[in-house]
Amino acid sequence: MQLLILALLLSISLIFWMYQQRQLLKGLMVAGSMAILAGVFFLAVPSTSYRFKALVEKIRSGETANIRIDIWQAAWPVVEESWSKGLGTGDVQMGLDKAYVAVDLEVALNKHLNAHNQYLQTTLALGILGLGVWIFLLFQSFLAAYRTHFYLLQWFLWLFTLSCLTESMLETQRGILFFGFIGTMLIAYHPPYEQPFSWPNRSKEQRQERRLARKNRRHR
């Protein structure tokens, strides 16, 4: 899933960059070629090809295409019951296991699967307030990366936040390492700015000059 999101971000960034260079058609052609090559590579690898064919067969037979959908449906009643304050960080898995028993979801119960959605997982653990704080922190990070033109951090945040839609990223060692280590390295190493997360205090004239400079660069 992360590779698919990364490929999508690369394609969007390429199209946007070519649009700024007034070569949108060329950008669309390159992105399309990349998508075709990625599809060929995807089908050529036996493991991914098998999973794709199995997914198609499940959809044709009317079965649920992904276990994640079953997990989300099972977890939603638990969210409705405990949305105000959550279950607590130590009782989320117990609540999920009870939900799996209620809907007879043996696969998820036997493996004690998490919610496979970090936003849902956070709501189960900390309630709506915890989810709000989590989204606010992500928003502040996006805003800081945008204001300082830290494009690499923007990419990283997009990849992480989109991955959180299908994975409980902070419930696994790999997810914590990915977010904590790489995120910290990006924040610590930011050559163009001594303080990448300090909010610029510009006057109205300075803001107008920056807007004019960006417009001039686009028209070159």
Side-chain angles (χ1 to χ4, degrees):
M1 184 64 185
Q2 283 78 9
L3 290 176
L4 181 61
I5 294 172
L6 182 60
L8 180 62
L9 291 175
L10 280 170
S11 300
I12 293 175
S13 300
L14 175 63
I15 293 172
F16 181 73
W17 182 75
M18 296 300 286
Y19 171 76
Q20 288 185 322
Q21 302 298 317
R22 295 190 174 185
Q23 296 180 352
L24 179 59
L25 182 59
K26 185 183 292 186
L28 290 172
M29 292 175 62
V30 174
S33 302
M34 291 173 58
I36 293 173
L37 290 175
V40 171
F41 176 79
F42 180 82
L43 295 175
V45 177
S47 59
T48 55
S49 177
Y50 174 79
R51 293 180 63 181
F52 178 75
K53 291 178 180 177
L55 177 62
V56 172
E57 289 299 325
K58 284 185 177 181
I59 294 175
R60 288 178 177 176
S61 62
E63 298 179 15
T64 301
N66 199 318
I67 187 63
R68 288 175 174 83
I69 298 177
D70 290 332
I71 292 175
W72 298 337
Q73 290 176 345
W76 188 249
V78 184
V79 173
E80 292 179 334
E81 294 176 1
S82 58
W83 66 270
S84 58
K85 57 181 180 180
L87 299 173
T89 55
D91 296 327
V92 174
Q93 192 58 55
M94 185 183 301
L96 286 173
D97 288 344
K98 291 180 180 179
Y100 299 152
V101 172
V103 297
D104 195 23
L105 193 59
E106 294 185 4
V107 175
L109 179 62
N110 294 335
K111 295 182 179 180
H112 300 288
L113 297 180
N114 56 42
H116 277 73
N117 182 302
Q118 186 58 53
Y119 308 105
L120 186 60
Q121 187 89 23
T122 302
T123 308
L124 287 168
L126 304 174
I128 193 67
L129 181 61
L131 177 64
V133 172
W134 171 238
I135 293 177
F136 175 76
L137 291 175
L138 290 175
F139 174 76
Q140 286 289 84
S141 301
F142 269 113
L143 187 60
Y146 171 76
R147 289 191 172 184
T148 55
H149 304 285
F150 197 171
Y151 301 114
L152 187 58
L153 182 58
Q154 292 179 37
W155 269 56
F156 170 76
L157 290 171
W158 274 114
L159 179 61
F160 179 77
T161 53
L162 292 176
S163 297
C164 284
L165 293 173
T166 57
E167 297 290 343
S168 294
M169 295 291 290
L170 300 182
E171 299 299 313
T172 62
Q173 183 178 4
R174 289 180 300 175
I176 294 173
L177 182 64
F178 175 73
F179 182 71
F181 179 74
I182 299 181
T184 302
M185 290 295 292
L186 287 175
I187 294 173
Y189 180 72
H190 193 212
Y193 305 93
E194 296 180 359
Q195 297 179 345
F197 285 96
S198 61
W199 304 111
N201 185 18
R202 303 188 184 96
S203 64
K204 183 177 180 180
E205 291 77 11
Q206 289 176 322
R207 291 195 296 269
Q208 290 177 346
E209 290 178 0
R210 287 177 61 85
R211 293 194 197 100
L212 183 60
R214 284 198 295 267
K215 288 181 180 179
N216 291 333
R217 287 197 298 267
R218 291 173 184 172
H219 292 295
R220 286 177 183 174

